[in-house]
Structures are given as C-alpha cells and as structure tokens.
Amino acid sequence: MPQITVDHSVPFDRRGFALDLHGLVAETVHTSVGVCRTRFREVAEAVVGDGTTDAAVVNVEIALAFGRTDALKAHLAKVVLDLLSRHLKAVDGVRLAVEVRDRESAYRKV
C-alpha cells in the first residue's frame, strides 16, 4: 500500500491532486487505487537557502512496499513532479521535490 505524505506551504487543490496521484501511482507500480493513502501537512513557514526569497515548497514522499526497482522509483518521482506542476496555479518560486522510497520493514496496518 503506497503511503503518501505531502508537505506544502502553498495552497492548491489537494483532493484533486490526491485523486489524480492515486491513479498515477497505481498504474505505475501496478497496484490498485483503493490501497493508496495520502495525507497533507500544511507548512506554516518554510525557509529556502539563505532566506532572501519567499519561495514556497511542496515536498511529496511516497513510501512503497519493498521490491520496486530504483528505475521504477525514479520514473514515478518524475511523473509525480509533472503531475504536481499541473495542479499548482503557478510554479514560479515554488520548490518542488518528490522522494520515492521503500517502507520500513516494521510497517504494519489494520
């Protein structure tokens, strides 16, 4: 089950992004949309670099079950960045990042 966390300091259509993201993740890693879970955490303040700009940030972290190749994870990160850019009203001054990683072996769910 993909566990997705989005930290952001810029407003955008979170629900629309999550719904599109779930379909993209499911298709890319060959799973079902029903097992994707996304949570959003709004960041009150973000400081980028030396702090001389008011850059906003959106960081997406996707944790997958162990076993996906590095190439697949890199591809997923790229297509998620593309999707994210389409969901933001403006990307100028917004620092975007996506990390796709393996979930910890101690992960459990109910």
Side-chain angles (χ1 to χ4, degrees), residues 5-6 15 25 41 47 60 66 79 107:
T5 303
V6 181
R15 182 175 177 76
V25 169
R41 299 186 296 202
V47 177
V60 180
F66 181 80
V79 296
Y107 173 82

Side-chain angles (χ1 to χ4, degrees), residues 11-78:
F12 68 106
D13 176 14
R14 296 179 297 200
R15 182 175 177 76
F17 173 69
L19 293 174
D20 288 349
L21 177 63
H22 291 177
L24 180 66
V25 169
E27 178 182 323
T28 304
V29 302
H30 310 293
T31 192
S32 69
V33 170
V35 299
C36 294
R37 295 181 181 183
T38 298
R39 66 181 174 176
F40 292 89
R41 299 186 296 202
E42 190 168 358
V43 176
E45 182 176 5
V47 177
V48 176
D50 64 5
T52 58
T53 66
D54 290 332
V57 297
V58 180
N59 293 333
V60 180
E61 180 182 297
I62 303 171
L64 301 171
F66 181 80
R68 282 16 186 261
T69 65
D70 288 342
L72 179 69
K73 290 185 274 190
H75 172 71
L76 179 58
K78 182 192 178 316

Side-chain angles (χ1 to χ4, degrees), residues 11 18 21 24 43 46 79 84 86 95 98 109:
L21 177 63
L24 180 66
V43 176
V79 296
L84 186 55
R86 292 194 306 269
R95 306 293 176 94
V98 177
K109 68 177 182 115

